[in-house]
Amino acid sequence: MGEHDQDQDDVAEPTRPPLSAEQARDVTDGLREAIDAVRRSVAVLAARVRDAHAARVWVPLGYGSWEAYCDVEFGISRAQAYRLLDVARALTAIHGAVTAGTETSRTRDTDPAAAAALDYGLSQRALIAVSGRTDDVAELITRRLTTLAHSGLHALDKPTVRAVVRQAVRDVRTAPPPPPADADPTVAALRRVVDELAASSYAIGELMLEVAPAYLSDADAVDVLVLLCEEIGEPLEHGLAARRYAMSGDRRALHGTVL
């Protein structure tokens, strides 16, 4: 961290007395509640985006397209407009899978699917990352919930449903997509190498995000990551590219560096 960052910290944060463990826990609980509220608001926004797009609301309002409607009405770029649709599609698929997986059991918790519908604890980044593989996510969620329901070992209450959904999304995010069935053996072998490299880069990117969270720009992240990259023997530009990949789930973030 440079001198500039130290000066900035001195200006931004007035001197405060140290917190007790109980006070620190209260602050942490409040922060957790705020983060959960943001995640729930993303889910609500996605549901409304889905309904608006399905109803083609831009047509009666005189817009030529969805992106034009979002631009004029909300100041949202074309890319942002379609990312919102990606989030909406992913959440719709996940909720459908939860509903299907919990129909097989009526447990102690009343309607667990409805209870967890808007509170899976998933970030917008995670939903965008799996938006192109919603069938895989949905199949995995339904299968795991159905297995749990038949086993009778767990009540499909809200925490259990939430945990299953989050783990399924994580598993699909980190797993490479299956190669085409009729792929040439040489191409398939090269694809596996690329997939393995991408998976390891994703893991490195998540490590980078632990140190330099997503709200930091690349320029701000450099000061934080330079020492980490030196410590693990990773070129800084590769670490930044892996961080961008972990944020977006788009392999194009690795082009020119790792791939």
Side-chain angles (χ1 to χ4, degrees):
M1 300 285 283
E3 182 179 344
H4 171 73
D5 296 319
Q6 184 63 52
D7 291 343
Q8 194 174 47
D9 288 343
D10 291 341
V11 172
E13 295 292 336
T15 302
R16 296 180 180 179
L19 298 178
S20 66
E22 183 178 359
Q23 289 171 322
R25 175 51 55 194
D26 289 341
V27 170
T28 301
D29 289 343
L31 179 58
R32 181 177 291 109
E33 289 177 5
I35 291 173
D36 287 344
V38 169
R39 286 171 173 161
R40 285 192 294 272
S41 70
V42 168
V44 172
L45 173 61
R48 292 181 178 175
V49 165
R50 176 199 62 208
D51 294 343
H53 190 267
R56 297 175 62 84
V57 294
W58 63 90
V59 175
L61 294 177
Y63 297 106
S65 64
W66 167 254
E67 55 263 37
Y69 163 75
C70 288
D71 179 33
V72 175
E73 293 288 341
F74 312 114
I76 295 175
S77 70
R78 183 179 187 276
Q80 289 174 311
Y82 283 101
R83 278 198 294 270
L84 286 174
L85 287 179
D86 287 341
V87 170
R89 292 186 184 109
L91 273 175
T92 298
I94 287 169
H95 182 48
V98 168
T99 301
T102 54
E103 278 178 352
T104 56
S105 174
R106 288 295 173 257
T107 58
R108 290 184 299 247
D109 192 62
T110 303
D111 198 1
L118 294 179
D119 191 17
Y120 300 121
L122 298 169
S123 67
Q124 185 173 346
R125 177 163 56 91
L127 292 165
I128 291 172
V130 299
S131 62
R133 302 179 66 184
T134 53
D135 288 345
D136 294 338
V137 174
E139 189 276 334
L140 196 56
I141 291 171
T142 299
R143 175 158 48 85
R144 289 177 177 176
L145 288 175
T146 301
T147 299
L148 283 175
H150 284 308
S151 73
L153 297 176
H154 295 276
L156 295 187
D157 54 11
K158 182 178 176 180
T160 300
V161 172
R162 195 174 193 257
V164 169
V165 170
R166 287 169 62 86
Q167 187 59 50
V169 168
R170 180 177 178 82
D171 289 347
V172 171
R173 286 181 74 183
T174 56
D182 58 349
D184 178 88
T186 303
V187 174
L190 289 173
R191 192 189 303 275
R192 282 194 296 272
V193 172
V194 172
D195 287 341
E196 290 170 1
L197 183 57
S200 64
S201 297
Y202 191 92
I204 292 173
E206 288 198 317
L207 173 62
M208 298 294 159
L209 284 171
E210 289 289 333
V211 179
Y215 62 79
L216 293 178
S217 67
D218 271 8
D220 292 332
V222 166
D223 290 338
V224 182
L225 295 179
V226 62
L227 294 178
L228 173 61
C229 288
E230 287 178 2
E231 185 70 23
I232 65 175
E234 188 75 19
L236 177 60
E237 61 271 22
H238 288 190
L240 289 169
R243 177 175 175 269
R244 289 192 294 269
Y245 176 42
M247 285 193 291
S248 67
D250 189 341
R251 289 191 185 182
R252 288 174 295 185
L254 303 174
H255 289 180
T257 54
V258 180
L259 295 181

